[in-house]
Amino acid sequence: MLVGKYRPKSIVEMVGNEDSRLAVLRWLTNWQQGSKPMLIVGPPGVGKTTLVKALTNDLEYEVIELNASDERTKDRLESIIKPLFTNANIYSRKVLLFLDEVDGIHGNYDKGGFNALLNLLNTATIPIIMAANDDSNENMKELKRVCNVVRFKRIPPRLLMLYLEHVLKQEGIDVSIGDRVRVVSESYGDVRTMLNKAQAVIDEVYSATPKAYTVPIEQAMNRFFSASSISDAIDALRSCEGFYSDPRFYRDSEDRRLDKLHTIYTSIVNSNKDIDSIAKMLDALSYADILVSIINSKRRWDMLRYLDALIAGSIFYASRGIAYTQYDMPYNLSSKIFNEGKVIRDITEVLAKVLHESLHNIKAYYIPYLILILSNKKDYMRSAIESGILPKDLKVLL
Amino acid sequence: MIKISLSKGFTLPRLGKEAFAKLMRSGVEYDKTNGLFTIKDASKIDSIVAIIRESTNDIISIELQCVLCGKDAGCYECEFSNGCDRLSVSNKCICKDCMLKGYDNYIEHIRSLIK
């Protein structure tokens, strides 16, 4: 695969973001204990992770990499990072900690993880580089205050073309100028996407037919479910790597792979198939989900080629006759769950204010007991409120 | 349309005191003698464009700088100009002449910058 083969080993081999690359290089060269950590912000596929790998290779650092999206609770972060800080000088090489996707640390459930990260940054004894796709949420604003921030932007198309021509020359492959321009134009400044598209051109998976990979997801899914052969079904799945008319779906290729699985899932669970067939299809789909997780977390783009074949091969026969469905469950069921959920959310908010507790704690520890009280001891609760033992706001639960 | 070149100076209509001061604080320099603005810190291009757009209400068009020769990259004649959002790409591209010299020439230049 071109993506794996042409991943730059040194920062001079990368293209685009020249000033940002030099800024990170200067930061690491001049790093000393007490220096601020580095935060690299930019969209996927512009070379954030590649830069760290290439840079540490150039400057002979040992990289300890943590995908922060997975390892985000306080305990987990501390158990991994603290020993690194205390034992930094027992390693034979210089050590650098790389936290990828730190913007994945967010929300109430991860709050402990994020605060732990902020504390750990203050006590760092080794260089720390963090990468994030997005820096707009509140946590990231806080993080930016204690870091040097360098922005990576999308790669200009001409530089992509320069790199593509270099790759094609190295491979000894002649691709028409029309295909080259199309590959570059439709990569939107993302080197990884460009190499994947170039790979597809080389493999003749798609030739000069733009329609083959710009179909909306619903169309692609219906084509998949009505395909007459497994190879047609694989083609249909492959055609999903384009624009989706549904605004829920993103342009980022990593999200699109999950969207693809999600739409197959929603279509299967809403189908009229018998429960055993549905169970078997979902079981097969779970393997594809595992593969996607491995691809995304380990950056194993070379394994992408197996994804569509795995999905099509495992559910093709069982899924004939299914139609694309957007929603996770039938409308009457989803609206009932939504409405009941709203009542619980309203009650949770009131209780959180009254009892000075987090929404999470109220939902996890208080609500189950309140339901129990309400079902058994309604009168006791009413009298407790009336006598002032419990706050008046709790009347909403009666 | 206001054309902003990242490689050389550019002119702007009268912006007003406040907007001018904001621009100066955002890494833009003003050459009084020639009436030309130059961008000293291209990483702040987003905020610079926002200030100019807000005070002029005009369309802003950016000309990227060639990473090799330092001149204008030739965005207005570029074959990709329609699909290239010049605000969201990194601020250095490559001009047609330098592109013809190939990738090896590009990495040699980057190597020289690092040294």
Side-chain angles (χ1 to χ4, degrees):
Chain A
M1 291 289 276
L2 295 179
V3 171
K5 190 173 173 186
Y6 289 94
R7 185 166 202 153
K9 308 274 183 301
S10 162
I11 66 161
V12 293
E13 294 170 11
M14 297 172 72
V15 283
N17 292 299
E18 294 79 10
D19 294 340
S20 306
R21 271 189 277 158
L22 288 177
V24 182
L25 172 70
R26 270 188 223 114
W27 169 83
L28 188 55
T29 315
N30 299 326
W31 186 88
Q32 53 190 8
Q33 206 165 325
S35 299
K36 278 183 175 181
M38 172 60 71
L39 174 64
I40 306 173
V41 182
V46 294
K48 301 185 297 291
T49 308
T50 302
L51 173 86
V52 175
K53 300 270 168 73
L55 189 62
T56 47
N57 190 34
D58 285 343
L59 299 180
E60 295 179 341
Y61 269 87
E62 186 85 50
V63 191
I64 311 289
E65 185 179 344
L66 266 184
N67 189 327
S69 302
D70 300 326
E71 316 283 350
R72 55 195 187 181
T73 62
K74 184 184 176 209
D75 291 345
R76 192 95 178 101
L77 279 173
E78 284 183 348
S79 68
I80 293 170
I81 298 176
K82 270 188 176 168
L84 259 182
F85 288 173
T86 38
N87 303 322
N89 43 17
I90 65 165
Y91 292 90
S92 55
R93 294 172 83 186
K94 294 175 282 182
V95 183
L96 179 142
L97 175 63
F98 175 45
L99 297 167
D100 206 356
E101 298 169 47
V102 278
D103 48 337
I105 308 178
H106 58 74
N108 290 335
Y109 302 109
D110 294 333
K111 209 123 200 172
F114 182 78
N115 289 335
L117 177 65
L118 281 180
N119 290 334
L120 287 166
L121 293 179
N122 289 330
T123 57
T125 56
I126 56 172
I128 301 176
I129 300 184
M130 288 164 286
N133 293 335
D134 176 38
D135 63 342
S136 56
N137 71 45
E138 280 305 313
N139 279 350
M140 290 305 291
K141 281 178 194 165
E142 221 168 301
L143 192 60
K144 279 194 288 184
R145 273 199 284 273
V146 295
C147 295
N148 285 313
V149 183
V150 167
R151 285 181 193 284
F152 268 53
K153 289 185 159 186
R154 296 188 185 280
I155 317 298
R158 258 197 195 157
L159 281 176
L160 282 183
M161 182 61 107
L162 182 79
Y163 193 56
L164 177 63
E165 286 179 349
H166 160 71
V167 168
L168 294 174
K169 195 175 157 192
Q170 293 293 310
E171 291 290 303
I173 291 166
D174 189 23
V175 172
S176 74
I177 182 72
D179 274 344
R180 272 182 282 155
V181 168
R182 189 161 51 75
V183 164
V184 168
S185 302
E186 292 173 358
S187 302
Y188 304 102
D190 180 333
V191 184
R192 199 157 58 213
T193 303
M194 182 190 75
L195 290 177
N196 281 331
K197 283 183 183 289
Q199 179 79 56
V201 167
I202 293 167
D203 294 348
E204 293 181 344
V205 169
Y206 68 78
S207 59
T209 51
K211 277 180 189 165
Y213 57 99
T214 55
V215 293
I217 193 159
E218 55 270 57
Q219 203 178 318
M221 282 302 141
N222 281 330
R223 219 183 107 202
F224 167 72
F225 289 123
S226 60
S228 53
S229 66
I230 292 184
S231 62
D232 282 352
I234 295 173
D235 276 350
L237 287 179
R238 207 161 268 155
S239 70
C240 279
E241 295 284 335
F243 293 115
Y244 294 164
S245 56
D246 189 327
R248 289 178 310 154
F249 302 120
Y250 306 108
R251 215 166 68 175
D252 170 9
S253 52
E254 287 178 34
D255 290 328
R256 285 207 304 265
R257 281 191 281 280
L258 292 174
D259 294 338
K260 194 189 293 190
L261 290 183
H262 186 72
T263 49
I264 296 172
Y265 166 78
T266 55
S267 305
I268 289 173
V269 295
N270 280 298
S271 70
N272 295 325
K273 298 279 176 187
D274 62 86
I275 201 81
D276 285 342
S277 305
I278 290 178
K280 276 180 191 157
M281 283 189 277
L282 293 182
D283 192 37
L285 202 60
S286 68
Y287 287 103
D289 191 33
I290 291 169
L291 180 62
V292 169
S293 301
I294 293 171
I295 291 170
N296 287 346
S297 62
K298 309 259 181 216
R299 301 288 189 249
R300 290 290 307 273
W301 314 121
D302 55 318
M303 291 168 76
L304 262 179
R305 71 181 106 166
Y306 305 117
L307 179 63
D308 294 330
L310 175 67
I311 299 170
S314 56
I315 66 168
F316 177 77
Y317 293 106
S319 65
R320 296 308 82 199
I322 292 179
Y324 164 78
T325 315
Q326 184 180 351
Y327 302 105
D328 290 8
M329 56 188 80
Y331 179 73
N332 51 1
L333 185 59
S334 62
S335 60
K336 189 171 173 249
I337 291 174
F338 178 81
N339 289 333
E340 285 176 358
K342 193 176 176 308
V343 173
I344 298 284
R345 276 196 298 279
D346 291 345
I347 292 171
T348 307
E349 275 172 27
V350 172
L351 286 178
K353 274 184 198 159
V354 172
L355 303 171
H356 302 287
E357 268 289 5
S358 69
L359 294 174
H360 172 260
N361 283 350
I362 295 288
K363 271 186 215 162
Y365 308 117
Y366 289 66
I367 293 283
Y369 285 107
L370 279 172
I371 290 171
L372 205 63
I373 292 167
L374 283 176
S375 54
N376 297 327
K377 307 278 182 191
K378 219 169 185 174
D379 295 337
Y380 285 5
M381 190 167 162
R382 183 170 287 123
S383 58
I385 290 169
E386 278 162 10
S387 60
I389 297 168
L390 288 173
K392 280 179 186 163
D393 304 56
L394 288 181
K395 265 188 180 168
V396 289
L397 288 169
L398 294 171
Chain B
M1 184 166 71
I2 296 171
K3 291 184 177 179
I4 296 177
S5 164
L6 292 178
S7 63
K8 53 189 184 199
F10 54 93
T11 55
L12 289 175
R14 208 167 171 76
L15 300 171
K17 214 174 178 179
E18 205 178 309
F20 183 83
K22 267 191 200 170
L23 269 189
M24 296 299 112
R25 282 198 296 270
S26 303
V28 176
E29 279 187 359
Y30 183 59
D31 174 3
K32 234 177 184 178
T33 333
N34 300 309
L36 288 176
F37 290 86
T38 41
I39 294 174
K40 288 290 154 205
D41 185 359
S43 67
K44 292 178 179 166
I45 187 70
D46 294 1
S47 57
I48 292 169
V49 168
I51 295 165
I52 298 172
R53 190 177 285 147
E54 196 184 308
S55 55
T56 60
N57 273 329
D58 207 343
I59 298 164
I60 315 284
S61 176
I62 296 168
E63 172 103 22
L64 301 176
Q65 187 180 15
C66 174
V67 63
L68 298 186
C69 65
K71 294 177 188 164
D72 281 345
C75 295
Y76 301 112
E77 298 85 38
C78 177
E79 58 277 27
F80 297 106
S81 65
N82 286 339
C84 176
D85 176 3
R86 298 199 283 276
L87 258 186
S88 69
V89 296
S90 66
N91 47 47
K92 283 182 181 149
C93 190
I94 190 165
C95 70
K96 211 153 198 175
D97 291 342
C98 292
M99 194 175 168
L100 291 174
K101 293 175 190 164
Y103 174 73
D104 291 342
N105 192 49
Y106 172 82
I107 57 169
E108 270 317 308
H109 176 76
I110 301 294
R111 195 165 280 139
S112 70
L113 288 180
I114 288 171
K115 282 173 186 169

